[in-house]
Amino acid sequence: MSGAGLGARPWRAGAEPSESSPEPPSPSSSRPPPSDTSPSPSEETTPPSRGHARAMGGASRGGGAAAGPAPPEAGLACDRNLALFEEELATRPRVPALLRRMAPYSALSPDSDDGHAPRRLLGTLRGVAAPSLQTLLGLVLVLRLPWVVGAGGVLQATAIGLLLGACTVLTAVSLSAIATNGLDPGGCPLGLLSGALGPEAGGAVGLCAFLSAAFAAAAAALGAAEILLVYVAPQAAVLPGRGRGGRLNNGRGYGAGLLGLLALGAAAPPATRAAPLAPAGLLLALLALQAGALRAALPGAAPHSLCLPPQPGGHLQPCPTARPHSNGTQGARLAFPGPSAQLLAQNLWPHPPEPGLEEGPGGDDDDDSSFGVLLGLSLPTASGVLWGCSRSGELRDVARSVPAGSLGAALATALGYLSAALLLGASVEGQLLRDKFGVSLRGTPVAGAASWPSPWVPLAGALLSAVGAGLQALLGGSRLLRGLARTRTLPLPHALGRGRLWPLAATAAVAELGVLLGSLDLLAPVLSVFWLTSYLGLNLACALQGLLPTPGWSPRCRLYHWGVSLAGATLCLGLMLVTCWYCALLALGIGATAYKYLEYRGAQSEWGEGLRGLSLSAARFALLRLEDGQPPAPSWRPQLLVLLKLDEELRATQPQLLALAAQLQAGKGLTIVGSVIPGDLPQDQPRARAAEQALRAGLAGAGARGFVQVLVAPGRGPGLAALVQGCGLGALRPNAVLMGWPHGWRRRHDPAAARRFVELLRVAGAGGRALLVAKGPLGAGAPGGTLDVWWVVGDGRLLTLLPLLLRQHPAWRGCRVRLFTVALLEDNSVRLRRLLEAVARRRGLPAQTHVVELHDSDVSAYTYERTLMMEQRSQMLRQMRQGQGGPAPSQAPSAGEEEEEEEGGAPRRGPSPGNVRRMHAAERLNEAVGRCSGGARLVLLDLPPPPPPRPPRPLDNYLEFLEVLTEGLGPVLLVRGGDGDPPGP
């Protein structure tokens, strides 16, 4: 800016306007033209030298401006660009300082009893894939899969494998949506589920998942006991009882002992290192089975020299002459003829088990080979989806690791089941496949006999799988129980929320209830149904989150769609009913009871929906229940009080506020439209009723639903203050105030507009209300464009929430969101942008992030003269209105300000240094916003704090600063969070 340019202006800093002028000139009515070479937001701006600025100031003074000396260098260099917010920087820090504090943020893991957050060191394989593969697949593959293939046929086994794969993949997609929703999981599945789905759904799913984890540990113990009693040491079955009772008693006794050993292993420090056990056991069993099939298929390989007995139930006999399988039923048949399409076709269809092959721990129900029984025996292999987030508090990148690890483990589980089923169906005779407990093989499992190099290899794999799955189930169940106890929503002892031993002991005690069944066949349907119930709740909650638009629900998983989650929920429900319908009803009843109990105990949901039609008693009960406390931060939503001014014909002067309220609320939550009519009661009561009808019509025309309240008060200012303080009932109170910009604050016919506006800001802030001040033609422009958020100070919770709310409405749905923050000279812009992206992901805001650098620069002569003119105008208006006997627009300058304007007893010729700093900050921020967001459809900007009541200051200056801050911009929404806006990352 040159001195000639300043001298050519139509006004001079030292010239005072005449008293006969209808409108005093505004300091914001002219501004220097922007430079054509303005840098982009990502480029560094080189501040002008101090000598250059002084030369500019000298040129300006040489141009005839009686402005006094050059502007003083007041204020700290790092704060001068943000002087508008300097009064609240102690309580509302700048964004870089806040992001640096939030960078190491991590919700405490349930295992962090010392109060320290877990170290995030795990990747996808160790943190997600390994726990997800800690299932009973290796155990089921050796002990039950041959019988499933032989009794149900290859077609039913393949259908079961496909159903298992579909169930696990769909549920993994829902879990991936939760993990990529931007919420920090907190170290356990319960924290992740409750944070994204709400405390009721998260608690109900968590309870069912805990019961299924406990029963999974019991199934692992019973499976290991069966390996010991049937295949390793049959003579160890010494517990009393005969027949079925004796077998069940031995299963209970040895299962309880093995469960105790698993609990001791889980309590030991190296228990977390046992993650590879189950995957290693599964891999060992699969490789041994594939090696056996490959060895039999090789040319010249000697086939098994065992043939089927003439009568089912007998032992395999050495074959007199090895003959191919095509000999039919005449003569001896090879038990393991090797892979062949003919044998696969023969085993394709179901076949009832032969008598004499069903003796074992299963009891009398083992002859039931219906599809539901086969499905119930196979479903425990799909129980590892939730374990993918069991160590999410220790993952380096939750949003990346959970989807990749969970989906990969789900596909690997399905492929392992299908490949083993097809190999067994194509390599082993059907009669031998239906020998569940290896009676024909003299105590050797069928999968072991078909393997190479030894039958003990798959048995060792099954045992490793049982140990790994049991440890994972006990550890995961204890974490879930600890999380449930720490929420204090269920009536659980407080000791379960502290330490590791008590939750682990309680999990083992619940698992003992499953061991009492004594048989893997009897426990498998119960375990399957509880797993499916937790999957059903997870999928259904994700489907509802996507089907009913929720502001905080914006998952970044590309595979997610609410239809995918709904299909997963439907599939889980169908599998539950097919497996065991009465067990399904029991599990659903437990989940529904937990949900309603959590709701009854005060776990708050979005209470604004569904109030219509409730009786007064139900409304009273709900209001009393909501008095217990504030909603948690993730579920906080603005409940609006819209302040409108009515003209003489009772028409709203700013009807666009109603449209904005309708777009923000989308028919949900609380909306109250309030207005004040100056007058007295009861004379003006009919006018107040007519105003209420007009506001209701305006609400309906804007497509909003809410309440209307009109006050009749002697003055507009006291009436608005009373409306802000007393509006609402109990917890049904607005927590945010939406108002329009006082466009007539400079006009003579409304001299108290500035004072009324600032006092209203003070009252709303003192009451903990958030503030939304709309300026400009909101909602104008073509669809699309950008929603630009400028986050300068504070936690920005409300600033980042408003774009999510607006984008739910069709008018803003196509808008892109851009998030800006300001960096000063001492800030690292690259690191600041990475932190800003992390916070945007955590809050679920799909935004492009930008860091605008505001380096320190000297105060220009134009800013100095503009500030001087503002003070002269304010003083002139005060003198004019006091001389006319009218009210002053604002308070007189304080004693502190008078002292600030004196130097050694002589009056200062220039403006106040504090006002110069604020004007400079307003111009710098306005220049940055105008450069980056000049064409934005809506700009959301931090509202600077109003001047405090003590010491008093001219309130016109505050509005002048805001005019300069928003000068030349399009629609602007000034936002300031209140005490009701919960802080958080």
Side-chain angles (χ1 to χ4, degrees):
M1 186 187 307
S2 64
L6 286 175
R9 296 187 180 279
W11 51 272
R12 295 174 56 199
E16 295 189 9
S18 64
E19 296 185 4
S20 60
S21 60
E23 288 291 335
S26 168
S28 61
S29 59
S30 60
R31 61 180 289 163
S35 173
D36 293 335
T37 59
S38 299
S40 64
S42 60
E43 297 175 347
E44 291 189 5
T45 58
T46 304
S49 65
R50 297 181 184 270
H52 180 62
R54 291 191 181 97
M56 290 163 49
S60 178
R61 290 191 299 274
E73 296 294 331
L76 297 175
C78 62
D79 292 340
R80 181 161 48 191
N81 291 319
L82 300 179
L84 284 176
F85 304 91
E86 62 186 1
E87 294 173 348
E88 63 173 1
L89 287 180
T91 57
R92 296 167 65 89
R94 292 194 306 115
V95 173
L98 181 72
L99 292 180
R100 282 193 292 269
R101 289 205 305 264
M102 293 167 59
Y105 165 80
S106 175
L108 292 182
S109 169
D111 295 327
S112 303
D113 301 309
D114 55 354
H116 298 288
R119 300 178 63 188
R120 295 181 178 268
L121 301 176
L122 297 182
T124 302
L125 290 179
R126 281 191 60 197
V128 182
S132 298
L133 291 173
Q134 294 276 54
T135 65
L136 299 172
L137 177 57
L139 186 70
V140 172
L141 186 148
V142 175
L143 297 185
R144 292 295 181 270
L145 186 58
W147 182 80
V148 170
V149 175
V154 176
L155 280 182
Q156 286 196 23
T158 305
I160 290 173
L162 293 176
L163 290 175
L164 293 180
C167 180
T168 53
V169 168
L170 294 177
T171 307
V173 170
S174 297
L175 184 65
S176 303
I178 295 175
T180 58
N181 190 42
L183 296 172
D184 198 281
C188 71
L190 183 65
L192 189 147
L193 295 174
S194 298
L197 307 179
E200 299 96 337
V205 174
L207 179 61
C208 293
F210 163 72
L211 293 176
S212 57
F215 291 150
L222 288 176
E226 182 175 328
I227 293 176
L228 176 65
L229 295 174
V230 177
Y231 302 113
V232 178
Q235 67 277 6
V238 295
L239 294 181
R242 299 184 60 184
R244 178 173 180 267
R247 290 189 294 270
L248 294 181
N249 287 338
N250 282 279
R252 291 164 186 154
Y254 282 92
L258 292 174
L259 181 62
L261 293 178
L262 288 175
L264 290 177
T272 56
R273 304 174 189 172
L277 283 183
L282 171 62
L283 186 61
L284 192 62
L286 280 175
L287 289 179
L289 184 62
Q290 292 173 356
L294 181 62
R295 179 174 178 271
L298 290 177
H304 281 277
S305 59
L306 296 178
C307 290
L308 296 178
Q311 298 295 330
H315 301 304
L316 295 185
Q317 302 294 330
C319 298
T321 302
R323 285 178 287 181
H325 176 74
S326 57
N327 290 344
T329 59
Q330 302 294 328
R333 290 183 298 162
L334 286 173
F336 303 97
S340 66
Q342 185 179 2
L343 184 58
L344 180 66
Q346 180 179 338
N347 292 332
L348 206 61
W349 307 104
H351 193 284
E354 288 82 357
L357 297 179
E358 296 300 321
E359 297 179 1
D364 297 337
D365 296 331
D366 290 339
D367 57 349
D368 186 2
S369 59
S370 63
F371 184 76
V373 172
L374 303 180
L375 184 63
L377 288 174
S378 303
L379 279 172
T381 62
S383 59
V385 175
L386 282 181
W387 299 144
C389 60
S390 62
R391 305 183 69 180
S392 52
E394 304 171 34
L395 295 175
R396 285 192 294 266
D397 190 348
V398 178
R400 180 180 180 181
S401 296
V402 171
S406 297
L407 289 171
L411 292 174
T413 301
L415 291 177
Y417 184 95
L418 288 172
S419 62
L422 291 175
L423 275 178
L424 289 171
S427 303
V428 184
E429 271 285 350
Q431 178 180 327
L432 186 59
L433 288 174
R434 290 184 286 275
D435 188 356
K436 181 186 291 187
F437 301 106
V439 176
S440 302
L441 295 168
R442 294 180 174 86
T444 300
V446 175
S451 302
W452 184 85
S454 170
W456 294 100
V457 174
L459 273 179
L463 193 59
L464 285 176
S465 179
V467 172
L471 290 175
Q472 176 64 46
L474 288 173
L475 290 172
S478 63
R479 289 189 178 197
L480 285 168
L481 184 61
R482 184 164 45 247
L484 289 171
R486 286 184 175 181
T487 59
R488 303 293 175 87
T489 52
L490 291 175
L492 298 174
H494 296 331
L496 296 179
R498 298 190 296 268
R500 297 169 178 258
L501 294 181
W502 285 110
L504 183 60
T507 306
V510 176
E512 289 289 352
L513 299 178
V515 172
L516 292 179
L517 293 177
S519 171
L520 183 62
D521 295 338
L522 298 178
L523 181 60
V526 180
L527 169 61
S528 303
V529 164
F530 274 102
W531 272 122
L532 290 173
T533 304
S534 60
Y535 291 174
L536 170 65
L538 189 149
N539 284 304
L540 187 60
C542 290
L544 293 178
Q545 293 273 23
L547 186 59
L548 307 175
T550 305
W553 182 253
S554 56
R556 292 178 286 115
C557 179
R558 297 181 179 179
L559 299 177
Y560 170 75
H561 186 268
W562 64 265
V564 175
S565 296
L566 186 60
T570 305
L571 179 60
C572 289
L573 181 61
L575 293 179
M576 289 170 59
L577 297 176
V578 171
T579 301
C580 181
W581 64 268
Y582 50 88
C583 296
L585 294 180
L586 176 62
L588 291 175
I590 292 176
T593 302
Y595 183 92
K596 296 306 294 182
Y597 181 81
L598 292 173
E599 189 179 28
Y600 175 77
R601 285 290 300 268
Q604 300 186 10
S605 58
E606 193 173 1
W607 50 268
E609 301 181 32
L611 291 178
R612 182 181 180 181
L614 295 179
S615 62
L616 291 178
S617 60
R620 175 181 174 274
F621 174 78
L623 287 174
L624 291 176
R625 184 167 62 87
L626 289 174
E627 284 288 327
D628 295 339
Q630 295 294 331
S635 63
W636 189 91
R637 299 292 178 268
Q639 316 299 335
L640 295 177
L641 170 61
V642 185
L643 298 180
L644 290 180
K645 183 180 179 181
L646 302 178
D647 57 14
E648 294 298 327
E649 298 181 359
L650 300 180
R651 292 179 301 186
T653 58
Q654 293 179 320
Q656 68 270 19
L657 295 181
L658 295 176
L660 180 61
Q663 293 163 2
L664 284 172
Q665 298 294 70
K668 304 175 183 178
L670 174 66
T671 302
I672 299 179
V673 180
S675 184
V676 174
I677 296 180
D680 297 314
L681 292 175
Q683 293 88 346
D684 293 312
Q685 186 63 33
R687 183 174 174 81
R689 293 177 179 173
E692 290 181 355
Q693 296 298 327
L695 291 178
R696 288 193 179 95
L699 266 177
R705 301 186 62 183
F707 305 94
V708 172
Q709 187 168 356
V710 177
L711 290 183
V712 178
R716 193 181 301 275
L720 289 174
L723 190 62
V724 170
Q725 296 180 72
C727 187
L729 175 64
L732 200 64
R733 291 180 181 272
N735 56 22
V737 178
L738 174 61
M739 65 181 78
W741 179 256
H743 293 284
W745 68 275
R746 291 195 182 104
R747 302 173 186 171
R748 290 185 177 181
H749 65 78
D750 195 5
R755 183 180 69 250
R756 186 169 58 245
F757 178 76
V758 175
E759 289 179 350
L760 189 58
L761 295 184
R762 291 171 177 170
V763 170
R769 309 292 196 273
L771 293 169
L772 307 176
V773 181
K775 189 174 187 291
L778 297 176
T786 60
L787 282 169
D788 287 0
V789 181
W790 283 81
W791 181 12
V792 182
V793 295
D795 61 14
R797 169 68 65 177
L798 185 57
L799 268 174
T800 53
L801 175 63
L802 291 176
L804 295 174
L805 296 172
L806 287 173
R807 278 164 53 91
Q808 296 183 41
H809 196 273
W812 304 92
R813 192 163 294 161
C815 293
R816 294 181 294 109
V817 181
R818 298 190 297 178
L819 180 61
F820 295 87
T821 192
V822 174
L824 299 184
L825 185 61
E826 67 272 16
D827 298 323
N828 186 337
S829 300
V830 177
R831 173 172 169 78
L832 183 59
R833 181 170 182 178
R834 289 201 300 264
L835 297 177
L836 196 64
E837 290 175 350
V839 172
R841 288 196 304 267
R842 185 177 297 163
R843 296 183 177 179
L845 182 65
Q848 302 174 359
T849 56
H850 302 273
V851 175
V852 180
E853 298 180 352
L854 287 183
H855 294 318
D856 182 40
S857 63
D858 291 337
V859 179
S860 66
Y862 170 71
T863 302
Y864 185 76
E865 294 180 4
R866 195 174 192 178
T867 309
L868 180 62
M869 183 179 180
M870 177 190 70
E871 293 183 353
Q872 291 174 348
R873 176 184 178 276
S874 177
Q875 184 179 4
M876 182 198 68
L877 287 178
R878 186 166 54 252
Q879 293 174 354
M880 289 171 52
R881 287 164 182 155
Q882 285 178 351
Q884 296 173 0
S890 61
Q891 296 94 329
S894 63
E897 194 134 343
E898 293 290 350
E899 292 176 0
E900 193 180 25
E901 295 179 2
E902 296 180 1
E903 285 183 356
R908 181 186 292 274
R909 298 178 59 191
S912 164
N915 288 337
V916 171
R917 290 198 311 271
R918 297 182 183 95
M919 183 66 74
H920 175 71
E923 287 182 346
R924 292 298 307 278
L925 283 176
N926 175 261
E927 179 185 355
V929 177
R931 182 176 66 247
C932 302
S933 304
R937 190 175 175 188
L938 178 63
V939 176
L940 292 91
L941 181 62
D942 270 314
L943 174 66
R950 292 291 182 271
R953 297 178 185 174
L955 303 183
D956 305 72
N957 295 349
Y958 175 71
L959 270 73
E960 191 66 51
F961 295 141
L962 296 184
E963 289 279 9
V964 174
L965 179 62
T966 58
E967 182 181 3
L969 302 179
V972 179
L973 188 62
L974 299 171
V975 180
R976 181 175 175 80
D979 295 339
D981 177 18

